[in-house]
Amino acid sequence: MCARGTITMASECASDMEPTRDITCDHTDDHRHMLNVIERLASGGVLALDVAGIVRHWGDGLVQMLGYPPSAMVGRALGDLVPQHRDALAELLESERSGCDRSGARIRVPRCDGSLADLDVSAQPWPEPDGSAPCIIVLVRDITEQSRSQALHRRLTEVTSAVSGFAPLDSILRMVRDAVIEFGGFDRAGVFQVFGDQVRGAWGTDADGKPRSEAGLAETLDDWGPSIPDLAAGVRRFVIETWEPDASEVGGRGPIRHVVIAMRAGLELVGLISADNLLTGRPVTEADVLPLIPFAEEAAVAIRSIRLHERVRTYADDLEREVARRTGELEKVVEDLEQFTYRVAHDLRAPLRAIDGMAHLLAEDIVSQSLDADQILSRLERVSTRAMYAGRLVDDLLTLARVGRRPFAPRRMDLARPVLEAWESLADRRADRSIEFVLGALPPLLADRGMLLELLTRVLDNAIKFTRKAQQARIEVGAESDNAGGETVLYVRDNGVGLRPEDTERVFGAFAQLNSPDEYEGSGIGLAIVKRIMDRHSGRVWMSGAPGTGATLHCAFPSERD
């Protein structure tokens, strides 16, 4: 079977080789003239090889096409000029000797200036009158522009399809990197994103020539050298510069040429493409770069489209989260409103009804003069107590409503100071009490100071109230770090009456009151206010404890906020 395939040739510039004379297979001027005629008719170049693979003719068309003069090529073994493909060339010669048609083969070779040329090669034996074939005639046509145009169209179609299918941006960047390697014929290439003056990594090439993720790269345009501002400003579309590889770079070569191409979508610099030939040492030329310019521009438009899509998707996700958050807040407001309606209908009505009833009784007793002064004062005190309870209930309702509406201004602060300030503000509540107050180590905390002070006052007031029956009341305030959850957990622990396990969540509901107001004064809204404050801080709050052993309130604050 005849072998088919693509041969990639690379050789040194012919001007560096020793000159030799141009000879045809049989050394006649007639054959030379005939080869020149064939070359003109073929609109390309003609190469003649003998059966040993030695170049016997190097036409003018090849000189114009590749830049190598006949003196540098004739008389040399073509396999020696491209040793890495000697086996492939030997297979070509063998196929021709056996009569196989090699028309349509495509190869890529370096020109004398280092740029790459894509060639269409057709080979036929040159028979002698006796039927022998001492020579092989190779017709060469330069299809560089055509093949690269096709490759460009194919790659752009792939990128466009990926963009239309909303492929991940990382996949698009990888496709661009692979296209630069294939289309430009470079050894190495990297694709990098640009955001303002920041350069972020995407995909590059490792020491083995394979794709390598550069996701961790974080540089600025200034880090890329003095020519990059021209690319950023749109003054130039690419720059070819000399670059000194590090000692650790592959090959240990001296200075090499590399190119940086701007990826612009209109006025926006979307990214940068960097490419070189560190592995082979082949110089980078404008002929290699210019066909990449339209591809870089189209790729930039595709990348910007994906970015905009991801930005819209992020906005949509953020909007969905915001709607969910606002819906949650609305549900809480509705729940609080329902509980408020219930409380007004029941709890607030009770003290008002008691005030009204005792006022009527007091009026009747005064008219009948059946009460002495002490009895009158006792009944007035009961009226005052109920009125104060109703007023406290209204005040707490207003506080609960304001927590959700007041501005939220968190800042990092020393936690110990607001704890002591809240404790001092409750001096009247503990004036006739002996309470052991323990203040543990407290780290700095990111919180709204006004809300934090309200929270601490409510929690400490609860601890003072429910340790009233303890022989020696003890209240402890401290904090712990939850490394797993990334939180700072503030706790207030007391040795008071405690609470049942089934009540540890119910206590945070608005108007939850587990004890009779006559036994423990309070509106039942204090811990609901605490929970609302923690919700504003995107934190968590919970209770632990058991009847008769005291209770601990935990407030978990996020260590960092977005």
Side-chain angles (χ1 to χ4, degrees):
M1 296 180 62
C2 298
R4 304 285 178 180
T6 299
I7 303 172
T8 303
M9 301 173 59
S11 63
E12 298 180 0
C13 182
S15 60
D16 297 331
M17 301 180 184
E18 295 181 3
T20 59
R21 58 191 182 88
D22 180 16
I23 55 175
T24 59
C25 294
D26 59 1
H27 313 287
T28 64
D29 291 338
D30 290 341
H31 280 139
R32 182 181 296 107
H33 176 69
M34 187 175 296
L35 291 173
N36 290 333
V37 171
I38 292 173
E39 187 173 55
R40 287 194 298 272
L41 293 175
S43 300
V46 173
L47 165 69
L49 302 173
D50 64 17
V51 293
I54 304 299
V55 177
R56 295 304 183 185
H57 177 81
W58 187 266
D60 292 340
L62 289 173
V63 176
Q64 297 176 7
M65 194 181 301
L66 302 177
Y68 301 107
S71 60
M73 304 301 293
V74 175
R76 295 185 177 274
L78 192 59
D80 292 340
L81 299 176
V82 282
Q84 66 274 34
H85 299 294
R86 186 181 289 109
D87 294 341
L89 290 172
E91 185 179 350
L92 171 66
L93 294 174
E94 181 60 30
S95 66
E96 292 305 327
R97 283 194 292 266
S98 61
C100 289
D101 183 5
R102 289 294 298 181
S103 61
R106 294 190 174 186
I107 64 174
R108 173 171 284 188
V109 300
R111 297 185 179 94
C112 185
D113 62 3
S115 62
L116 295 178
D118 294 326
L119 307 178
D120 181 79
V121 177
S122 299
Q124 292 289 337
W126 182 292
E128 289 291 337
D130 60 2
S132 62
C135 281
I136 296 172
I137 305 302
V138 182
L139 301 180
V140 181
R141 186 164 58 92
D142 190 344
I143 57 169
T144 303
E145 183 175 349
Q146 172 189 345
S147 64
R148 295 191 180 182
S149 177
Q150 292 173 348
L152 174 62
H153 177 73
R154 175 171 54 84
R155 285 293 186 175
L156 286 177
T157 300
E158 292 175 357
V159 172
T160 302
S161 299
V163 172
S164 301
F166 300 113
L169 179 57
D170 188 67
S171 298
I172 302 296
L173 295 168
R174 168 77 180 268
M175 292 173 65
V176 173
R177 178 263 171 201
D178 293 345
V180 172
I181 291 287
E182 175 192 355
F183 192 60
F186 296 106
D187 297 345
R188 310 190 309 167
V191 177
F192 306 90
Q193 294 196 77
V194 175
F195 301 91
D197 64 345
Q198 301 297 307
V199 180
R200 295 292 179 264
W203 284 93
T205 307
D206 65 14
D208 297 328
K210 298 178 181 178
R212 178 180 66 190
S213 174
E214 298 284 358
L217 180 71
E219 298 178 342
T220 66
L221 290 175
D222 292 339
D223 296 328
W224 280 56
S227 300
I228 301 303
D230 288 345
L231 296 181
V235 177
R236 304 169 70 178
R237 293 183 295 178
F238 68 92
V239 291
I240 299 177
E241 299 176 317
T242 299
W243 170 62
E244 184 74 41
D246 295 336
S248 59
E249 296 284 353
V250 178
R253 299 180 181 277
I256 64 169
R257 304 279 282 173
H258 84 289
V259 62
V260 179
I261 304 172
M263 301 175 67
R264 302 187 65 85
L267 299 177
E268 181 183 359
L269 180 64
V270 173
L272 297 170
I273 296 173
S274 177
D276 61 42
N277 293 308
L278 179 64
L279 304 179
T280 61
R282 185 177 66 83
V284 175
T285 68
E286 289 194 5
D288 296 326
V289 177
L290 289 175
L292 282 172
I293 300 302
F295 175 79
E297 293 174 349
E298 294 291 340
V301 173
I303 292 172
R304 185 175 64 175
S305 298
I306 291 292
R307 283 186 188 176
L308 291 174
H309 172 71
E310 291 187 348
R311 191 177 305 168
V312 170
R313 185 169 55 190
T314 299
Y315 288 157
D317 292 342
D318 291 344
L319 180 60
E320 184 176 348
R321 286 192 292 269
E322 180 66 14
V323 169
R325 185 182 69 83
R326 292 295 181 90
T327 302
E329 291 179 352
L330 180 60
E331 290 174 349
K332 290 180 181 178
V333 170
V334 172
E335 180 183 356
D336 290 348
L337 181 60
E338 291 174 351
Q339 294 182 5
F340 172 77
T341 303
Y342 176 85
R343 195 57 181 267
V344 169
H346 294 80
D347 292 19
L348 189 58
R349 181 184 296 172
L352 294 177
R353 188 165 50 237
I355 292 171
D356 180 66
M358 284 185 287
H360 279 86
L361 291 174
L362 184 60
E364 293 175 357
D365 291 338
I366 292 174
V367 171
S368 64
Q369 298 182 354
S370 60
L371 295 179
D372 58 22
D374 291 339
Q375 290 175 319
I376 293 174
L377 289 175
S378 176
R379 291 196 175 185
L380 287 174
E381 185 178 353
R382 292 178 62 188
V383 170
S384 175
T385 299
R386 291 297 178 178
M388 290 176 61
Y389 172 73
R392 186 163 54 247
L393 181 60
V394 172
D395 289 342
D396 286 349
L397 285 172
L398 292 174
T399 300
L400 181 64
R402 290 172 183 147
V403 167
R405 297 197 307 268
R406 65 185 295 180
F408 182 64
R411 62 184 180 88
R412 190 162 296 280
M413 68 187 74
D414 180 9
L415 182 54
R417 295 185 63 182
V419 170
L420 293 174
E421 187 175 339
W423 180 253
E424 290 300 323
S425 70
L426 297 168
D428 292 342
R429 297 275 291 150
R430 52 186 173 84
D432 57 346
R433 302 267 309 275
S434 174
I435 302 175
E436 180 186 1
F437 182 65
V438 180
L439 186 62
L442 298 175
L445 192 68
L446 183 66
D448 180 289
R449 194 178 191 283
M451 292 188 186
L452 180 62
L453 190 58
E454 177 76 30
L455 180 149
L456 291 169
T457 302
R458 295 279 177 176
V459 175
L460 290 173
D461 183 54
N462 253 18
I464 292 172
K465 177 171 59 178
F466 289 109
T467 57
R468 182 181 301 155
K469 297 181 180 180
Q471 291 184 355
Q472 175 56 57
R474 187 178 190 274
I475 299 174
E476 177 186 355
V477 180
E480 300 171 344
S481 294
D482 181 2
N483 295 328
E487 298 172 317
T488 298
V489 181
L490 170 69
Y491 65 85
V492 177
R493 181 177 295 124
D494 65 62
N495 62 342
V497 297
L499 75 168
R500 298 175 302 176
E502 59 266 29
D503 292 332
T504 54
E505 294 185 8
R506 193 162 67 92
V507 293
F508 295 104
F511 316 113
Q513 194 167 22
L514 306 182
N515 306 96
S516 168
D518 294 330
E519 184 179 9
Y520 292 102
E521 72 282 359
S523 64
I525 306 176
L527 290 182
I529 295 173
V530 169
K531 186 177 187 308
R532 183 66 59 83
I533 291 173
M534 290 307 300
D535 288 342
R536 292 297 304 275
H537 285 80
S538 300
R540 301 180 298 124
V541 60
W542 68 97
M543 289 283 292
S544 62
T549 63
T552 303
L553 183 133
H554 309 264
C555 296
F557 291 83
S559 295
E560 296 182 3
R561 295 186 60 85
D562 295 333

